[in-house]
Amino acid sequence: MGSYKIAIIEGDGIGKEVMAQALRILCELEQLEPEISFQLEQLDWSSDYYLEHGRMMPENWRDILMPQDAILFGAIGDARVKDEVTIWELIMPIRKEFRQYINYRPVQSLPNIASPLEDKTGINFSIFRENAEGEYSNSGGRMFKGEPSEMAIQNTIMTRTGIERITRAAGEYARKHGKCKVTSATKSNAIIHTNTLWDECVERVMREEFPELELESYYIDALAAYFVQRPKSFEVVLASNLFGDILSDLGSGIVGGLGLSPSGNINPEKDYPSMFEPVHGSAPDIAGLGIANPIAQIWSAALLLEHIGETEVAGKVINAIQAVLEENRVLTKDIGGQATTEEMGTAIIEKLNAQYT
Ligand code: ATP
């Protein structure tokens, strides 16, 4: 129990709306748990900030974020600012420079949330996506812009250190949570250099350090089909930056949509603050309407609480989300209802309170 410093970056679009509900949950927890307090540092880093200041974050962003215990992030993306600016000047520097090399994404069936797949309840696996290197590197360039001979090169960078540490994180999670199997996503039949190194490092770490766990390895294209055909057969899925990004949206899709899916960008050594955010983006199509589902953001706050050591409290927040869905009364539009973002927040707060009476 303690006092925690948390940086809040709500960002753009529905990020602002769903974050407001996550903040209500944190405030409520302070009331319900007298020994917990949060020092929230609200940062207006966003596309609006960029349009005003010419940069996504102030120059001293590291000094501002470094003393925090964790970062709760909303979403970024705005038609007025190029994605390469919003992503590469905000999310990527934080993920990379703070060595948040694990991207953790639980994929779980929830009460009354129908999977678009027939007869698929009981889905429950976690994706460990490599988050600091791989295909999302800014190594490369373009030449002869606008000419017929125009060309672009984008390099994938995979290192033994990078692959081994994400494999270790997946193995440790599997061991800690009583899982039996880790599934690795690869494409070493076609991407013969980087993905062969991936296969070798994954196989070695699993064999030497986690001999009790089964390792299966599938080509990414086949694995995408298996996610649809037999999602219940997965326990822990290990993937590179690009493959993990695609698989986690697919994972969100098979359990009911982006509005329900949380994620953590984790530096397990805790040398740097970790950052928690919904899988979804700023959803410009529904921004400002007050109808976004805040569950992914609130669940991301629960992952943050777990990360800073408040496991029991995190469990209560997740129970509250599940209780609302079980009741099947307050539902936002994306999951078949008419409730507003705020009404969903209020319903979760009520279920949170119910656990303390
Ligand atoms: P960005 O460029 O910021 O990623 P995007 O529209 O391409 O934005 P998402 O923001 O992930 O991608 O949204 C994809 C679609 O999913 C949106 O059009 C929206 O309708 C829906 N969606 C995403 N998040 C939510 C949410 N929390 N509640 C309801 N619907 C959502």
Side-chain angles (χ1 to χ4, degrees), residues 6-57:
I6 301 176
I8 304 291
I9 308 173
E10 56 183 28
D12 297 328
I14 64 165
K16 296 180 198 299
E17 299 162 46
V18 294
M19 183 66 86
Q21 303 310 311
L23 294 180
R24 286 177 72 201
I25 301 284
L26 294 181
C27 288
E28 197 69 17
L29 283 173
E30 281 188 317
Q31 305 302 317
L32 295 166
E33 299 273 355
E35 287 171 55
I36 293 186
S37 67
F38 301 112
Q39 290 174 51
L40 303 179
E41 171 120 26
Q42 305 224 27
L43 302 164
D44 61 348
W45 305 345
S46 60
S47 294
D48 281 335
Y49 184 96
Y50 175 83
L51 292 170
E52 198 179 322
H53 299 94
R55 50 188 306 146
M56 292 299 293
M57 304 189 277

Side-chain angles (χ1 to χ4, degrees), residues 14 76-77 258-259 280-286 292-293 334:
I14 64 165
I76 209 88
L258 284 168
H280 65 73
S282 59
D285 56 333
I286 56 166
N293 189 342
D334 58 311

Side-chain angles (χ1 to χ4, degrees), residues 133-247:
E133 53 176 44
E135 303 88 344
Y136 292 5
S137 99
N138 56 0
S139 159
R142 285 179 65 172
M143 287 172 76
F144 313 127
K145 273 194 186 175
E147 294 177 29
S149 54
E150 185 165 0
M151 60 174 283
I153 296 175
Q154 180 95 40
N155 295 310
T156 293
I157 298 172
M158 290 201 185
T159 64
R160 185 186 280 212
T161 307
I163 303 166
E164 286 182 352
R165 67 188 180 185
I166 188 67
T167 306
R168 206 163 281 127
E172 278 163 6
Y173 173 89
R175 182 177 279 161
K176 187 170 164 202
H177 292 83
K179 310 281 184 187
C180 303
K181 188 174 72 173
V182 171
T183 304
S184 167
T186 184
K187 192 64 190 177
S188 48
N189 56 343
I191 309 175
I192 55 175
H193 303 300
T194 50
N195 276 236
T196 302
L197 179 67
W198 172 273
D199 289 353
E200 288 168 7
C201 293
V202 169
E203 196 276 326
R204 186 174 53 249
V205 170
M206 292 303 295
R207 177 169 36 81
E208 289 176 4
E209 300 179 31
F210 305 96
E212 80 280 17
L213 297 176
E214 182 191 339
L215 170 67
E216 61 181 15
S217 181
Y218 290 119
Y219 294 134
I220 182 67
D221 40 352
L223 186 54
Y226 297 151
F227 261 42
V228 175
Q229 290 165 342
R230 51 177 175 84
K232 283 188 264 191
S233 68
F234 301 109
E235 298 180 43
V236 177
V237 177
L238 171 61
S240 66
N241 212 332
L242 172 65
F243 293 167
D245 196 8
I246 297 169
L247 287 176

